[in-house]
Amino acid sequence: MVDLRSDTVTRPTSAMLEAMASAEVGDDVYGEDPTVNALEAEVAALLGQEAAIFTPTGSMANQIALQLLVPRGDELLADAKSHVVNFEMGAAAALGGVSSRTFSTPGSRLDVAAIEPMINRPNPYVTTTRAVAVENTHNMGGGTVQPLAELKRLRGLADAEGIALHLDGARLWNAHAATGVPLSEYGRLFDTVSVCLSKGLGAPVGSLIATSAERAERGRILRKRLGGGMRQVGYLAAAGRYALANHIERLAEDHARARRLAEALEPCGVCGAAQVETNIVLLRVPQIAKVAEAAAERGVRVSVLGPDWGRLLTHLDVDDAGIDHAIEVLTDLVGE
């Protein structure tokens, strides 16, 4: 089965499992797990931040970050298709008391000009804007890489307005692999950064928040409050450390395979190859659920996002032979 539904379906490699089995562990709630501590230090350094916190999920990482930046009753601005707004079960409002407003841009590519007029300064009539969330790469934008120059403009705006910036960098590794921009250059532009280990990097679980030492201290309290206090979690952190050492550079292979998929499917009128920047191919196919069902019967799994909208993601569990098979099956089905 060639599973292109998501890069979350990856399984640990044999070498990763060996690293997990041999990990040195301790009680992380007491701060005594050496493998977790090492992972947090590595990620903080990679992202140009002072400290990092290991969390079980990306949603928890994002929600801790938002609570660190936005007081209850105040406002977050985010892209209308962003993960923090659409796919985290209303947690910002339900758990953090955070109000949200959204902006839309073509392809979910950051446009500071669309954000600036939305900022509410403190006054007694409207909710005060406290932070802006940016997703890089942007999932529902089709793996869009946010332009570095625009991110720098946003940082300048945030500083001028006295507001904070959160980076949902679940696939920041892909942005780095696609552009060569150092992870620290992205990371230093934000007050909080979340990154995921269980997508393109192939770890079985885990995300981290990178931020200042002061925020990280408060963030650990929020993590415990949300049920994220873990004990001998170094076995999972070891998978993350292995992934950081071995799976970042290989993301370029996923990007090349995604482009090959898109180039093969483009003549069928279901996608645009030029829009594929990383490992995500968005599809526009009438009655895509039926196409996905037929594809699955022939050994290819497709993510169905709507009546005529789907998605393919390449990852380390899909090799060139898998892409060849997917192209054969999908061009046959959508080219009819």
Side-chain angles (χ1 to χ4, degrees):
M1 179 65 71
V2 180
D3 196 339
L4 297 170
R5 291 174 300 169
S6 178
D7 45 8
T8 61
V9 302
T10 56
R11 292 155 296 182
T13 63
S14 297
M16 183 181 286
L17 288 170
E18 290 177 11
M20 295 168 69
S22 61
E24 183 182 0
V25 300
D27 191 318
D28 182 50
V29 172
Y30 289 120
E32 295 175 354
D33 192 305
T35 306
V36 173
N37 294 342
L39 173 65
E40 290 175 342
E42 288 172 15
V43 170
L46 280 173
L47 296 172
Q49 296 281 350
E50 291 179 337
I53 311 168
F54 185 56
T55 66
T57 71
S59 292
M60 183 181 287
N62 281 333
Q63 293 307 315
I64 290 171
L66 296 185
Q67 289 186 41
L68 288 172
L69 300 180
V70 185
R72 297 187 69 87
D74 286 345
E75 179 183 78
L76 172 76
L77 299 181
D79 182 272
K81 294 182 179 179
S82 65
H83 196 281
V84 296
V85 170
N86 290 279
F87 303 113
E88 298 188 7
M89 309 301 292
L95 303 179
V98 176
S99 179
S100 300
R101 277 191 301 138
T102 61
F103 52 87
S104 297
T105 54
S108 296
R109 197 176 303 279
L110 182 65
D111 180 5
V112 175
I115 299 171
E116 185 170 10
M118 295 183 65
I119 295 172
N120 288 334
R121 298 171 182 85
N123 72 69
Y125 299 102
V126 295
T127 306
T128 302
T129 304
R130 298 294 186 186
V132 178
V134 177
E135 192 172 323
N136 193 24
T137 65
H138 199 294
N139 180 7
M140 291 295 106
T144 301
V145 178
Q146 304 297 354
L148 182 62
E150 202 68 5
L151 293 173
K152 290 179 177 178
R153 279 191 283 273
L154 181 62
R155 180 72 266 173
L157 174 65
D159 289 342
E161 294 288 347
I163 62 176
L165 298 181
H166 171 60
L167 174 60
D168 178 355
R171 294 184 176 90
L172 187 64
W173 323 109
N174 294 89
H176 162 68
T179 64
V181 173
L183 290 161
S184 60
E185 190 164 0
Y186 283 127
R188 289 192 186 104
L189 293 171
F190 292 84
D191 300 283
T192 54
V193 182
S194 67
V195 287
C196 183
L197 304 171
S198 63
K199 294 184 172 70
L201 298 193
V205 68
S207 290
L208 293 101
I209 311 153
T211 187
S212 68
E214 182 274 330
R215 286 197 193 93
E217 186 175 353
R218 290 194 288 127
R220 292 184 190 281
I221 296 171
L222 294 172
R223 183 183 69 173
K224 191 70 164 63
R225 184 177 294 155
L226 293 173
M230 299 173 286
R231 303 300 179 176
Q232 289 74 31
V233 74
Y235 295 114
L236 296 176
R241 294 193 72 197
Y242 181 89
L244 290 175
N246 296 278
H247 289 170
I248 292 179
E249 298 307 318
R250 64 149 306 281
L251 290 170
E253 300 173 20
D254 297 341
H255 299 176
R257 288 171 180 143
R259 285 191 295 272
R260 191 153 69 87
L261 264 174
E263 288 165 0
L265 292 168
E266 186 173 45
C268 302
V270 297
C271 67
Q275 281 72 55
V276 176
E277 300 177 24
T278 53
N279 69 322
I280 302 177
V281 181
L282 294 181
L283 302 176
R284 285 292 186 184
V285 180
Q287 297 183 314
I288 193 168
K290 292 183 178 180
V291 172
E293 183 179 0
E297 291 174 356
R298 296 170 60 177
V300 178
R301 286 180 174 163
V302 177
S303 179
V304 177
L305 304 176
D308 62 351
W309 187 24
R311 187 185 67 170
L312 307 173
L313 275 85
T314 52
H315 51 79
L316 61 84
D317 280 2
V318 178
D319 58 14
D320 288 330
I323 295 298
D324 291 339
H325 181 61
I327 288 172
E328 179 183 358
V329 169
L330 293 174
T331 54
D332 183 45
L333 290 173
V334 301
E336 293 176 351

Short mmCIF file of all heavy atoms in Angstrom, two decimals, residues 275-306:
data_model
loop_
_atom_site.label_atom_id
_atom_site.label_comp_id
_atom_site.label_asym_id
_atom_site.label_seq_id
_atom_site.Cartn_x
_atom_site.Cartn_y
_atom_site.Cartn_z
N GLN A 275 2.83 24.97 -8.39
CA GLN A 275 2.44 25.34 -7.03
C GLN A 275 3.05 24.41 -5.96
O GLN A 275 2.93 24.68 -4.77
CB GLN A 275 0.92 25.31 -6.89
CG GLN A 275 0.22 26.52 -7.47
CD GLN A 275 0.24 26.54 -8.99
OE1 GLN A 275 -0.20 25.59 -9.63
NE2 GLN A 275 0.75 27.62 -9.57
N VAL A 276 3.68 23.33 -6.40
CA VAL A 276 4.23 22.37 -5.44
C VAL A 276 5.64 22.81 -5.04
O VAL A 276 6.57 22.72 -5.82
CB VAL A 276 4.25 20.95 -6.03
CG1 VAL A 276 4.90 19.97 -5.07
CG2 VAL A 276 2.82 20.50 -6.35
N GLU A 277 5.77 23.28 -3.81
CA GLU A 277 7.05 23.77 -3.30
C GLU A 277 7.73 22.78 -2.37
O GLU A 277 8.96 22.80 -2.23
CB GLU A 277 6.85 25.09 -2.56
CG GLU A 277 6.25 26.20 -3.43
CD GLU A 277 6.01 27.47 -2.63
OE1 GLU A 277 6.69 27.68 -1.60
OE2 GLU A 277 5.14 28.26 -3.04
N THR A 278 6.95 21.93 -1.73
CA THR A 278 7.54 21.01 -0.76
C THR A 278 6.98 19.60 -0.98
O THR A 278 7.16 19.05 -2.07
CB THR A 278 7.31 21.51 0.68
OG1 THR A 278 5.91 21.78 0.90
CG2 THR A 278 8.10 22.80 0.93
N ASN A 279 6.33 19.00 0.00
CA ASN A 279 5.91 17.61 -0.11
C ASN A 279 4.41 17.43 -0.21
O ASN A 279 3.90 16.32 0.01
CB ASN A 279 6.44 16.81 1.09
CG ASN A 279 5.77 17.19 2.41
OD1 ASN A 279 5.48 18.37 2.65
ND2 ASN A 279 5.53 16.21 3.25
N ILE A 280 3.68 18.49 -0.52
CA ILE A 280 2.21 18.43 -0.56
C ILE A 280 1.71 18.75 -1.96
O ILE A 280 2.12 19.75 -2.56
CB ILE A 280 1.59 19.40 0.46
CG1 ILE A 280 2.07 19.07 1.88
CG2 ILE A 280 0.06 19.36 0.39
CD1 ILE A 280 1.56 20.03 2.95
N VAL A 281 0.82 17.90 -2.46
CA VAL A 281 0.16 18.12 -3.74
C VAL A 281 -1.34 18.20 -3.48
O VAL A 281 -1.96 17.22 -3.04
CB VAL A 281 0.45 16.99 -4.75
CG1 VAL A 281 -0.24 17.27 -6.09
CG2 VAL A 281 1.95 16.79 -4.93
N LEU A 282 -1.94 19.37 -3.74
CA LEU A 282 -3.39 19.52 -3.62
C LEU A 282 -4.05 19.14 -4.92
O LEU A 282 -3.58 19.48 -6.00
CB LEU A 282 -3.75 20.96 -3.26
CG LEU A 282 -3.30 21.46 -1.88
CD1 LEU A 282 -3.77 22.89 -1.67
CD2 LEU A 282 -3.83 20.56 -0.76
N LEU A 283 -5.18 18.43 -4.81
CA LEU A 283 -5.91 17.94 -5.98
C LEU A 283 -7.30 18.53 -6.02
O LEU A 283 -7.96 18.67 -4.99
CB LEU A 283 -6.04 16.41 -5.92
CG LEU A 283 -4.76 15.58 -5.85
CD1 LEU A 283 -5.12 14.11 -5.70
CD2 LEU A 283 -3.91 15.80 -7.10
N ARG A 284 -7.74 18.89 -7.23
CA ARG A 284 -9.14 19.26 -7.45
C ARG A 284 -9.73 18.21 -8.38
O ARG A 284 -9.45 18.20 -9.58
CB ARG A 284 -9.23 20.65 -8.08
CG ARG A 284 -8.95 21.79 -7.12
CD ARG A 284 -10.05 21.91 -6.07
NE ARG A 284 -9.87 23.09 -5.22
CZ ARG A 284 -10.64 23.37 -4.18
NH1 ARG A 284 -11.65 22.57 -3.88
NH2 ARG A 284 -10.42 24.44 -3.45
N VAL A 285 -10.57 17.34 -7.82
CA VAL A 285 -11.12 16.22 -8.57
C VAL A 285 -12.60 16.08 -8.22
O VAL A 285 -12.94 15.89 -7.05
CB VAL A 285 -10.40 14.89 -8.21
CG1 VAL A 285 -10.99 13.74 -9.01
CG2 VAL A 285 -8.91 15.01 -8.47
N PRO A 286 -13.50 16.17 -9.18
CA PRO A 286 -14.92 15.96 -8.89
C PRO A 286 -15.14 14.57 -8.29
O PRO A 286 -14.54 13.59 -8.73
CB PRO A 286 -15.59 16.08 -10.27
CG PRO A 286 -14.63 16.90 -11.07
CD PRO A 286 -13.27 16.52 -10.60
N GLN A 287 -15.97 14.52 -7.27
CA GLN A 287 -16.31 13.25 -6.59
C GLN A 287 -15.03 12.50 -6.18
O GLN A 287 -14.87 11.31 -6.42
CB GLN A 287 -17.18 12.37 -7.49
CG GLN A 287 -18.53 13.00 -7.83
CD GLN A 287 -19.41 12.09 -8.65
OE1 GLN A 287 -18.96 11.48 -9.63
NE2 GLN A 287 -20.67 11.99 -8.27
N ILE A 288 -14.16 13.22 -5.51
CA ILE A 288 -12.86 12.62 -5.18
C ILE A 288 -12.98 11.45 -4.23
O ILE A 288 -12.12 10.56 -4.22
CB ILE A 288 -11.91 13.69 -4.61
CG1 ILE A 288 -10.48 13.14 -4.58
CG2 ILE A 288 -12.37 14.17 -3.25
CD1 ILE A 288 -9.43 14.16 -4.30
N ALA A 289 -14.04 11.38 -3.44
CA ALA A 289 -14.20 10.24 -2.54
C ALA A 289 -14.27 8.93 -3.32
O ALA A 289 -13.70 7.91 -2.90
CB ALA A 289 -15.45 10.41 -1.68
N LYS A 290 -14.95 8.97 -4.48
CA LYS A 290 -15.03 7.76 -5.31
C LYS A 290 -13.67 7.42 -5.92
O LYS A 290 -13.29 6.25 -6.02
CB LYS A 290 -16.07 7.95 -6.41
CG LYS A 290 -17.50 8.03 -5.91
CD LYS A 290 -18.49 8.16 -7.06
CE LYS A 290 -19.92 8.19 -6.55
NZ LYS A 290 -20.90 8.31 -7.67
N VAL A 291 -12.94 8.45 -6.31
CA VAL A 291 -11.59 8.23 -6.85
C VAL A 291 -10.69 7.63 -5.77
O VAL A 291 -9.93 6.70 -6.03
CB VAL A 291 -11.00 9.54 -7.39
CG1 VAL A 291 -9.54 9.37 -7.77
CG2 VAL A 291 -11.81 10.04 -8.58
N ALA A 292 -10.78 8.17 -4.56
CA ALA A 292 -9.95 7.68 -3.47
C ALA A 292 -10.28 6.23 -3.14
O ALA A 292 -9.38 5.42 -2.86
CB ALA A 292 -10.14 8.55 -2.23
N GLU A 293 -11.56 5.89 -3.19
CA GLU A 293 -11.97 4.51 -2.92
C GLU A 293 -11.40 3.57 -3.98
O GLU A 293 -10.87 2.48 -3.66
CB GLU A 293 -13.49 4.41 -2.89
CG GLU A 293 -14.01 3.02 -2.55
CD GLU A 293 -15.52 2.97 -2.49
OE1 GLU A 293 -16.18 4.01 -2.71
OE2 GLU A 293 -16.06 1.87 -2.22
N ALA A 294 -11.48 3.99 -5.24
CA ALA A 294 -10.95 3.15 -6.32
C ALA A 294 -9.43 3.04 -6.23
O ALA A 294 -8.85 1.97 -6.47
CB ALA A 294 -11.36 3.73 -7.67
N ALA A 295 -8.78 4.14 -5.86
CA ALA A 295 -7.32 4.13 -5.73
C ALA A 295 -6.89 3.19 -4.61
O ALA A 295 -5.91 2.44 -4.74
CB ALA A 295 -6.80 5.54 -5.49
N ALA A 296 -7.62 3.22 -3.50
CA ALA A 296 -7.26 2.36 -2.37
C ALA A 296 -7.37 0.88 -2.75
O ALA A 296 -6.57 0.06 -2.30
CB ALA A 296 -8.17 2.67 -1.18
N GLU A 297 -8.36 0.56 -3.57
CA GLU A 297 -8.50 -0.82 -4.03
C GLU A 297 -7.30 -1.28 -4.86
O GLU A 297 -7.02 -2.47 -4.95
CB GLU A 297 -9.79 -0.97 -4.84
CG GLU A 297 -11.06 -0.84 -3.99
CD GLU A 297 -12.32 -0.84 -4.85
OE1 GLU A 297 -12.20 -0.86 -6.09
OE2 GLU A 297 -13.42 -0.81 -4.25
N ARG A 298 -6.59 -0.29 -5.43
CA ARG A 298 -5.42 -0.60 -6.25
C ARG A 298 -4.11 -0.25 -5.53
O ARG A 298 -3.05 -0.18 -6.15
CB ARG A 298 -5.52 0.13 -7.59
CG ARG A 298 -6.71 -0.36 -8.43
CD ARG A 298 -6.97 0.50 -9.65
NE ARG A 298 -5.84 0.55 -10.57
CZ ARG A 298 -5.86 1.18 -11.74
NH1 ARG A 298 -6.97 1.81 -12.13
NH2 ARG A 298 -4.80 1.18 -12.51
N GLY A 299 -4.21 -0.04 -4.21
CA GLY A 299 -3.00 0.09 -3.42
C GLY A 299 -2.46 1.49 -3.25
O GLY A 299 -1.28 1.66 -2.93
N VAL A 300 -3.30 2.53 -3.43
CA VAL A 300 -2.85 3.91 -3.24
C VAL A 300 -3.88 4.64 -2.38
O VAL A 300 -5.07 4.68 -2.73
CB VAL A 300 -2.69 4.65 -4.59
CG1 VAL A 300 -2.27 6.10 -4.36
CG2 VAL A 300 -1.67 3.94 -5.47
N ARG A 301 -3.44 5.23 -1.29
CA ARG A 301 -4.34 5.96 -0.41
C ARG A 301 -4.19 7.45 -0.62
O ARG A 301 -3.08 7.98 -0.66
CB ARG A 301 -4.07 5.60 1.05
CG ARG A 301 -4.57 4.22 1.42
CD ARG A 301 -4.29 3.90 2.87
NE ARG A 301 -4.90 2.63 3.24
CZ ARG A 301 -4.58 1.92 4.31
NH1 ARG A 301 -3.63 2.37 5.13
NH2 ARG A 301 -5.17 0.78 4.57
N VAL A 302 -5.34 8.13 -0.73
CA VAL A 302 -5.42 9.58 -0.99
C VAL A 302 -6.23 10.22 0.13
O VAL A 302 -7.22 9.66 0.59
CB VAL A 302 -6.11 9.83 -2.36
CG1 VAL A 302 -6.28 11.32 -2.61
CG2 VAL A 302 -5.33 9.18 -3.48
N SER A 303 -5.83 11.41 0.56
CA SER A 303 -6.58 12.14 1.57
C SER A 303 -7.72 12.91 0.91
O SER A 303 -7.50 13.67 -0.03
CB SER A 303 -5.66 13.12 2.31
OG SER A 303 -6.39 13.85 3.28
N VAL A 304 -8.94 12.72 1.42
CA VAL A 304 -10.12 13.42 0.92
C VAL A 304 -10.43 14.57 1.87
O VAL A 304 -10.71 14.36 3.05
CB VAL A 304 -11.33 12.48 0.81
CG1 VAL A 304 -12.57 13.26 0.35
CG2 VAL A 304 -11.03 11.34 -0.16
N LEU A 305 -10.39 15.79 1.37
CA LEU A 305 -10.60 16.98 2.19
C LEU A 305 -11.95 17.64 1.97
O LEU A 305 -12.35 18.50 2.75
CB LEU A 305 -9.49 18.00 1.92
CG LEU A 305 -8.06 17.50 2.13
CD1 LEU A 305 -7.07 18.58 1.73
CD2 LEU A 305 -7.82 17.08 3.57
N GLY A 306 -12.64 17.29 0.90
CA GLY A 306 -13.93 17.89 0.58
C GLY A 306 -14.52 17.19 -0.62
O GLY A 306 -13.94 16.23 -1.15
#
